[in-house]
Amino acid sequence: MYDVLLAFGDSITQCAGDPEFEGYLAYLSRLYQRQMDVLNRGFSGYNTTRARTVVSKHTPIEKFRDNLLYFVSLLRDPSSKHYSPSTKILFITPPPVGDRMVKEKAKIEGENVVNKNERARKYAQMVKRVANEVNTPYVDLYGKIEELVKKNQSTAKDTQTVDFEGYDGYLADGIHLNSAGNRVLFDLIQETIGKYWPELKPSKAPRSYMPTSKD
C-alpha cells in the first residue's frame, strides 16, 4: 500500500496529467514511482465553491478565502470525519493570466473575456495569505511565472512572444499551463517538498518492492 499524493483543483489541475503538455502530475508520478500514488482530482470548470460539492467560473474573493479554510478544516479539525493531522497540505497559487492571449482566443470564439491577470494576482495573494494563516507551505506559481515573463520580456525577439507579452512561453491559451509552465510548477513543488518535508524527497521516501518467488 502506497501513500497518496492527491492534487485537488480545477481544469489546470485536470490538465496536469495531459501528456500533450507534459503535465506536472505526470512528472511527479514518474518521480515517485513505487513510492507514492499520484492522484489527479482536477475538475474542469470548477471553482472552490463548486468543488465543495465534490468532497460561474468566478468566486468572490472572501468566499474563496472561506472555501480554502473549509478545505483545510476537513483535515485539521478534530471534529471532522476526515480529520487527518498527519496529512501534509500544500497550497499552489493560480498562475498569471495572459490577457492578450485570452482576448485573442475570445475574439476567435466569440466569447466574452472574464479572466484578467489583475484578478489572478489578487487570488494568488489570498492563497498565500490563507496558507500563512493556517501555517502551511505554499507554491507561488503566479509570482514565479511573472518573474520569468518580466525577465524574458526585455530579451524577447520572437514577434509572437512580444505580442503576447511573453506569457505564451508558459501558458497554452492564456490560462492553462503549457509544457514549460508545467515544468516550472514541478520544479517549485520539488523545491518546496525538500524545504518543508525533506523526509518525502524521493531519495528518502520508502520504496516498495514486490516479493519474489524466493521470498
Side-chain angles (χ1 to χ4, degrees), residues 149-187:
V149 166
K150 286 178 171 58
K151 180 179 179 181
N152 294 337
Q153 279 176 346
S154 60
T155 58
K157 297 179 180 179
D158 187 305
T159 302
Q160 183 181 15
T161 299
V162 173
D163 287 345
F164 293 130
E165 303 175 297
Y167 289 100
D168 53 328
Y170 305 95
L171 303 173
D173 55 5
I175 298 173
H176 301 93
L177 301 174
N178 63 14
S179 298
N182 272 292
R183 184 70 203 198
V184 169
L185 180 51
F186 171 66
D187 290 341

Side-chain angles (χ1 to χ4, degrees), residues 13-172:
T13 306
Q14 180 174 313
C15 292
D18 191 334
E20 179 181 354
F21 298 117
E22 301 178 35
Y24 73 90
L25 290 179
Y27 280 123
L28 286 170
S29 294
R30 182 177 63 185
L31 186 68
Y32 282 102
Q33 287 183 71
R34 298 170 62 175
Q35 293 177 298
M36 286 190 189
D37 284 332
V38 178
L39 301 183
N40 186 336
R41 293 298 180 266
F43 298 87
S44 180
Y46 273 47
N47 53 32
T48 54
T49 299
R50 293 187 67 191
R52 286 181 65 158
T53 67
V54 175
V55 285
S56 125
K57 290 293 289 181
H58 175 57
T59 297
I61 196 158
E62 287 303 321
K63 181 65 175 178
F64 177 72
R65 174 182 178 275
D66 291 344
N67 290 339
L68 293 180
L69 291 172
Y70 166 79
F71 293 134
V72 173
S73 72
L74 289 177
L75 298 174
R76 291 193 174 172
D77 185 346
S79 65
S80 168
K81 64 180 181 179
H82 304 291
Y83 180 56
S84 179
S86 63
T87 296
K88 308 292 191 296
I89 300 174
L90 176 62
F91 279 118
I92 300 174
T93 72
V97 172
D99 283 337
R100 291 187 183 179
M101 296 179 72
V102 173
K103 288 178 181 178
E104 182 67 21
K105 182 174 183 290
K107 183 171 65 176
I108 293 172
E109 299 181 358
E111 299 175 350
N112 293 323
V113 176
V114 296
N115 291 284
K116 299 288 188 179
N117 194 31
E118 177 58 23
R119 192 175 76 187
R121 182 185 66 81
K122 293 178 180 179
Y123 281 76
Q125 289 178 333
M126 181 58 76
V127 170
K128 294 188 288 184
R129 174 181 158 188
V130 171
N132 288 328
E133 283 184 38
V134 300
N135 193 31
T136 194
Y138 64 83
V139 165
D140 187 8
L141 178 62
Y142 182 96
K144 186 61 178 181
I145 290 182
E146 281 289 315
E147 173 191 325
L148 291 169
V149 166
K150 286 178 171 58
K151 180 179 179 181
N152 294 337
Q153 279 176 346
S154 60
T155 58
K157 297 179 180 179
D158 187 305
T159 302
Q160 183 181 15
T161 299
V162 173
D163 287 345
F164 293 130
E165 303 175 297
Y167 289 100
D168 53 328
Y170 305 95
L171 303 173

